[in-house]
Amino acid sequence: MFAEHGVEAVVLTPHVRASDIAFDPDDPLEQREMAFAELREAEPTGPQLLLGFEIMVDALMPDRAFTDREFALGDSSYYLIEFPLPVATDVVTDTVRGMIERGGRPLIAHAERYFECSPDTVSAWRDAGALVQVDATTLTQPSTRGHRARQLLGQGLADVMAADNHGNNRSLLTGVTYLRERGGAAQADLLASGNPSAIIGDRDTKSVSGIVLKESIMDRLKRLKNG
C-alpha cells in the first residue's frame, strides 16, 4: 500500500518505554531484531525499511536512550519520543533540553494527543529545541485532536507528518491529499517528504510555513459532539 502511495522509505518504530531501556537496554534491541527478521521474510519490493523506536518517556530518560543511535530514527541523531497523555508541560521541556544537551534531537510524536497541547505550549517545546510531529489521519478528522493538529499547522508549529500505521490502512497519503486540496502542497511536501528525508539523512529540517485550515460549520458540530 505504501509503495502504491509513493512512499519511498518507512521508519519502523516499535514502542519501547524509557524504564525498559534503563532496566535492560539490550532486550528491546533483541526483540526488535527478531521481529525485523520475521518481517524481512515477507518484505515486498517497495519502500526502504529503516529501524527506529517510539520511546515512551515514563521515567527519567537513561543516557543510552538518547546517546545510542540504535534507539534513534534510521541511525540518525533524531529520537522519536512520546509521553503519557496528561503530561505536564515542564516534563516535556525538561526532557527535550536534557536530550539536546547530550547530542540527541527530539521529535515529539503526535503532539495533538496531549491534553496540554496548545499553540503556546508547543511553541515552548519548540523553543526548547524539539521538533513536532502530527498524525496524517488525525489531521483530517472533526475531533478535538484533529482541531489541535490543524491549529499547529496553522501557526507553523509542525515539522513532520506521520502515518502512525499500526497494521491498518493509515497512510501519509490521507494527510497529503487533505493539504493539497486546501492549497497546502508546499507544506505537504515538507511535512511528508522534505523533513522526513532530512531526518533519516541526519540533516537539519526546514521550517514549514503556516496554513490556515478552515473548519466547516458541520465539522465543528461533529467535533463538539465527538470531543
Side-chain angles (χ1 to χ4, degrees):
M1 181 187 73
F2 285 161
E4 291 173 356
H5 292 174
V7 175
E8 297 179 355
V10 177
V11 183
L12 307 169
T13 55
H15 295 192
V16 65
R17 293 188 294 264
S19 57
D20 291 336
I21 299 174
F23 179 72
D24 184 358
D26 292 324
D27 182 64
L29 295 173
E30 292 170 1
Q31 293 290 333
R32 185 182 65 181
E33 182 54 39
M34 290 172 59
F36 191 40
E38 183 177 349
L39 175 62
R40 279 197 298 262
E41 294 179 1
E43 180 182 351
T45 301
Q48 176 188 12
L49 300 182
L50 302 168
L51 293 177
F53 279 106
E54 184 172 19
I55 305 171
M56 167 62 76
V57 184
D58 66 335
L60 185 65
M61 288 279 279
D63 280 354
R64 186 168 177 182
F66 43 75
T67 57
D68 186 340
R69 292 198 176 191
E70 287 194 276
F71 290 98
L73 298 174
D75 198 35
S76 70
S77 59
Y78 290 89
Y79 295 77
L80 184 66
I81 58 174
E82 64 174 347
F83 299 85
L85 294 184
V87 67
T89 299
D90 290 347
V91 171
V92 179
T93 303
D94 291 345
T95 301
V96 167
R97 288 173 177 161
M99 292 185 72
I100 290 174
E101 287 174 1
R102 292 164 177 79
R105 296 202 265 189
L107 172 61
I108 299 176
H110 39 60
E112 70 277 356
R113 289 182 58 191
Y114 303 112
F115 301 152
E116 291 290 325
C117 178
S118 70
D120 287 344
T121 297
V122 173
S123 290
W125 296 345
R126 287 170 59 85
D127 288 344
L131 295 179
V132 172
Q133 176 200 85
V134 294
D135 179 79
T137 302
T138 303
L139 175 66
T140 71
Q141 295 176 344
S143 63
T144 298
R145 290 183 181 182
H147 179 63
R148 291 171 183 160
R150 291 187 290 274
Q151 280 186 312
L152 299 184
L153 260 68
Q155 298 196 27
L157 297 174
D159 301 282
V160 175
M161 187 163 56
D164 201 20
N165 185 285
H166 284 65
N168 47 32
N169 64 354
R170 300 173 73 178
S171 173
L172 280 174
L173 185 62
T174 302
V176 168
T177 301
Y178 178 84
L179 290 175
R180 286 178 175 170
E181 289 177 347
R182 289 158 178 78
Q187 289 87 343
D189 288 346
L190 263 180
L191 290 163
S193 179
N195 281 344
S197 295
I199 287 173
I200 62 177
D202 207 24
R203 305 186 304 272
D204 292 338
T205 58
K206 295 181 179 180
S207 296
V208 181
S209 59
I211 173 173
V212 178
L213 300 170
K214 294 182 179 180
E215 186 178 44
S216 70
I217 294 176
M218 186 59 68
D219 281 348
R220 183 180 182 187
L221 291 174
K222 288 180 181 178
R223 172 168 61 85
L224 295 175
K225 177 182 178 181
N226 296 335

